[in-house]
């Protein structure tokens, strides 16, 4: 089942890009050849041509828990954004920039609006005003391997519920009054939430998977013991999407061992950065270098970042992407130059699919860069009102949250459980790159022969294993 047209939900985004990201190296970077340095004089020349907005600033102090997580031999890249409300003028400006500043600008990429990596089933028009049933028995993803991730198998261990770890869900908005978000409804740490229904329903679903209290009604959050927090990609005046800047804001609020969940995707070059009816060609936001640098700074601080792989059906190893997702040079202690360091999550078939279980859903992005998978279909959680309550209501629930957006919260919760147990047993968290390696290495493997619903039987579309917390705990000596 492929995602529906995002226009069927209310995300309030433009179809086409209205800004261009410029990546450059500052003149003060000593090892940069003079011909590549972007001097103040050249900056003024660029400002004469277009409206510029300086983007993210590097952290004042990044105390890497793994000393070599970031190579200090590479100069820090900096970013500007060119804005335009008219796509034709934006295209013209882009051509002028590429012509006159070709040697100095490392990257010039359109920045299309971000949307969630999700398309839920149609919501009911209304629902009963009755006490919410207990849906916990339908949360098969919390059960033991190979069908689930194994939360139930480690729950008896002290600290194995996320305690002592903060998890931030970074996306657009939430129904903050929803009963499943009681633990986090006052924990908006950064940004200004969207009031549009598509964002609010999506955020409610994700938030419930992470944080819902275990009170015998609705669902149980997979990391209910963690300190839950929310951050919106919208900020500024007028309010606009600022993904990299909000990752930076979250980085400043989090500590080593904490978890940041990135729940957005953008249309990529396959559709000329324009939205498509089936989210075809959508990419993880770490394709854009400013977002990638922000994630790398989180990793250097010891923060685990979990990122949706996206619903574009894209091979992230495609040469057309010019190595944007390459992990060349990365080890368990070092990040290669193009590696964001995030745990990237694909969408796998649910266990009732039989021999298709854990094979990639046709819309899931895939490739060597993906680390692991979560359930990409049939996930029961709060929001939408498909099986209980009313859309937008405080007691709404769906039985078919899906996409890489349903998969990634499971992994973020599992990471929080690993880190909380690691802190409890060893007094400190594991490094983000070690955690990533564990999640990519220990779990229930996807089928060895292609069994996805795309009709492609020539090779397996790699999305990685469904992690198994029991195997991960054994590997990291957490029992």
């Amino acid at each position: 089942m492929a995602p529906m047209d995002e226009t069927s939900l209310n995300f309030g985004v433009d179809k086409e890009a209205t800004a261009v990201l410029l990546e450059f190296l500052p003149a003060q970077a000593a090892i940069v050849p003079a011909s590549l340095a972007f001097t103040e004089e050249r900056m003024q020349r660029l400002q004469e041509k277009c409206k510029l907005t300086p983007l993210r600033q590097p952290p004042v102090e990044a105390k890497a828990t793994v000393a070599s997580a970031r190579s200090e031999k590479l100069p820090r890249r900096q970013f500007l954004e060119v804005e335009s409300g008219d796509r034709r003028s934006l295209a013209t400006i882009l051509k002028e920039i590429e012509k006159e500043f070709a040697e100095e600008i490392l990257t010039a990429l359109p920045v299309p609006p971000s949307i969630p990596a999700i398309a839920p089933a149609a919501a009911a028009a209304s629902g009963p005003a009755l006490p919410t049933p207990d849906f916990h028995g339908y949360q098969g993803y919390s059960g033991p391997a190979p069908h689930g991730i194994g939360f139930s198998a480690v729950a008896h261990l002290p600290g194995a519920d996320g305690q002592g770890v903060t998890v931030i869900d970074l996306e657009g908005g939430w129904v903050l009054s929803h009963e499943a978000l009681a633990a986090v409804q006052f924990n908006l740490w950064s940004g200004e939430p969207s009031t549009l229904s598509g964002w609010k329903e999506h955020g409610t679903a994700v938030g419930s998977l992470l944080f819902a209290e275990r009170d015998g009604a609705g669902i149980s959050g997979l990391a209910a013991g963690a300190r839950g927090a929310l951050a919106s990609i919208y900020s500024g005046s007028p309010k606009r999407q600022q993904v990299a800047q909000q990752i930076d804001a979250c980085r400043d609020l989090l500590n080593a061992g904490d978890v940041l969940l990135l729940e957005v995707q953008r249309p990529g070059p396959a559709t000329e950065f324009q939205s498509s009816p089936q989210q075809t060609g959508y990419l993880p936001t770490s394709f854009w270098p400013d977002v990638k640098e922000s994630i790398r700074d989180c990793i250097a601080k010891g923060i685990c970042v979990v990122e949706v792989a996206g619903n574009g059906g894209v091979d992230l190893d495609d040469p057309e992407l010019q190595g944007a997702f390459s992990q060349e040079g990365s080890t368990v202690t070092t990040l290669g130059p193009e590696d964001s360091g995030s745990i990237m999550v694909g969408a796998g078939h649910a266990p009732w699919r039989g021999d298709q279980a854990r094979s990639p859903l046709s819309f899931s992005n895939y490739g060597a860069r993906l680390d692991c998978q979560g359930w990409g279909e049939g996930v029961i959680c709060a929001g939408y009102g498909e099986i209980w309550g009313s859309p937008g209501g405080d007691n709404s629930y769906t039985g078919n949250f899906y996409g890489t957006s349903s998969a990634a919260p499971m992994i973020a919760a599992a990471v929080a459980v690993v880190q909380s147990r690691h802190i409890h047993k060893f007094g400190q968290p594991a490094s983000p790159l070690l955690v990533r390696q564990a999640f990519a290495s220990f779990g229930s493997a996807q089928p060895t022969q292609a069994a996805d619903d795309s009709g492609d039987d020539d090779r397996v579309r790699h999305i990685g294993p469904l992690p198994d917390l029991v195997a991960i705990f054994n590997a990291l000596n957490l029992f």
Side-chain angles (χ1 to χ4, degrees), residues 177-200:
S177 58
H178 197 286
E179 62 185 19
L181 299 185
V184 293
Q185 60 186 240
F186 302 113
N187 283 2
L188 177 68
W189 282 14
S190 186
E192 302 174 34
S194 171
T195 58
L196 300 173
S197 61
W199 283 113
K200 292 172 67 176

Side-chain angles (χ1 to χ4, degrees), residues 156-170:
H156 65 284
L157 296 170
D161 63 351
Q163 185 177 7
V165 172
T166 297
V167 180
I168 294 183
D169 173 29
L170 177 58

Side-chain angles (χ1 to χ4, degrees), residues 203-284:
T204 301
V206 171
S208 70
L209 286 169
L210 293 167
F211 310 125
E213 295 180 342
R214 297 167 182 167
D215 57 6
I219 70 166
S220 296
L222 299 174
R227 182 182 187 183
L230 311 171
S232 175
I233 61 172
Y234 288 93
S235 63
S237 181
K239 188 161 66 175
R240 55 191 293 269
Q241 292 186 0
Q242 297 182 325
V243 177
Q245 294 92 321
Q246 287 304 311
I247 293 174
D248 292 341
C250 292
R251 176 203 69 216
D252 291 342
L253 295 166
L254 294 172
N255 297 308
D258 292 337
V259 182
L260 175 62
L261 173 59
L262 186 54
E263 276 277 331
V264 292
Q265 60 176 353
R266 287 173 178 163
T271 58
E272 297 183 341
F273 301 95
Q274 298 184 44
S275 62
S276 62
Q278 298 295 323
Q279 299 178 24
T280 302
Y282 277 62
L283 295 174

Side-chain angles (χ1 to χ4, degrees), residues 141-454:
Y141 43 83
S142 70
H147 301 319
I149 296 175
F151 290 91
S152 60
V154 300
H156 65 284
L157 296 170
D161 63 351
Q163 185 177 7
V165 172
T166 297
V167 180
I168 294 183
D169 173 29
L170 177 58
E171 52 178 289
W174 307 263
V175 180
L176 293 174
S177 58
H178 197 286
E179 62 185 19
L181 299 185
V184 293
Q185 60 186 240
F186 302 113
N187 283 2
L188 177 68
W189 282 14
S190 186
E192 302 174 34
S194 171
T195 58
L196 300 173
S197 61
W199 283 113
K200 292 172 67 176
E201 295 283 14
H202 180 272
T204 301
V206 171
S208 70
L209 286 169
L210 293 167
F211 310 125
E213 295 180 342
R214 297 167 182 167
D215 57 6
I219 70 166
S220 296
L222 299 174
R227 182 182 187 183
L230 311 171
S232 175
I233 61 172
Y234 288 93
S235 63
S237 181
K239 188 161 66 175
R240 55 191 293 269
Q241 292 186 0
Q242 297 182 325
V243 177
Q245 294 92 321
Q246 287 304 311
I247 293 174
D248 292 341
C250 292
R251 176 203 69 216
D252 291 342
L253 295 166
L254 294 172
N255 297 308
D258 292 337
V259 182
L260 175 62
L261 173 59
L262 186 54
E263 276 277 331
V264 292
Q265 60 176 353
R266 287 173 178 163
T271 58
E272 297 183 341
F273 301 95
Q274 298 184 44
S275 62
S276 62
Q278 298 295 323
Q279 299 178 24
T280 302
Y282 277 62
L283 295 174
T285 52
S286 58
F287 173 75
W288 283 262
D290 60 330
V291 175
K292 181 181 294 184
E293 284 294 293
S294 293
I295 295 173
R296 287 169 65 91
D297 284 337
C298 289
I299 303 303
K301 191 177 178 181
I303 300 162
C304 291
V305 179
V306 177
E307 180 181 15
V308 294
N311 294 346
V314 176
D315 180 357
L316 300 187
D317 299 326
D318 189 330
E320 293 294 324
L321 299 179
Q322 300 181 351
F325 297 103
S326 171
Q327 289 184 297
E328 184 178 356
S330 289
T331 69
V332 74
T333 59
T334 306
L335 281 179
E338 292 301 328
D339 187 0
S340 71
S342 70
I343 298 173
M344 192 171 288
V345 184
H349 278 292
W352 58 80
R353 298 292 186 179
D355 61 3
Q356 284 190 318
R358 300 185 306 282
S359 63
L361 285 148
S362 61
F363 58 76
S364 179
N365 289 344
Y366 60 96
R369 175 60 184 85
L370 271 71
D371 299 295
C372 57
Q373 62 172 287
W375 284 24
E377 61 180 344
V379 175
I380 191 165
C381 59
Y384 299 104
E386 178 210 352
I387 62 171
W388 194 263
S390 303
D394 294 343
N395 68 337
S396 58
Y397 290 84
T398 179
N400 195 27
F401 189 52
Y402 71 110
T404 51
S405 273
S406 69
M410 301 178 187
I411 305 307
V415 170
V417 166
V418 167
Q419 290 289 45
S420 63
R421 176 62 180 164
H422 202 282
I423 292 169
H424 184 274
K425 186 169 183 181
F426 299 112
Q428 62 184 14
S431 75
L433 300 184
L434 177 62
V435 173
R436 182 173 72 168
Q437 183 187 59
F439 274 70
S441 303
F442 301 102
S444 303
Q446 69 177 96
T448 55
Q449 295 191 3
D452 62 30
D453 57 1
S454 67

Side-chain angles (χ1 to χ4, degrees), residues 65-107:
T65 55
V66 179
S68 54
R70 168 190 288 283
S71 173
E72 297 304 331
K73 294 180 180 179
L74 298 175
R76 280 193 173 273
R77 299 177 288 187
Q78 294 189 10
F79 304 93
L80 294 169
E81 192 171 79
V82 179
E83 297 179 45
S84 174
D86 176 58
R87 186 171 183 272
R88 288 180 300 173
S89 65
L90 188 66
T92 300
I93 291 170
L94 181 56
K95 288 181 181 179
E96 292 178 355
I97 290 172
E98 290 176 335
K99 181 178 179 180
E100 184 173 347
F101 298 89
E103 291 187 353
E104 298 142 301
I105 301 296
L106 301 180
T107 305

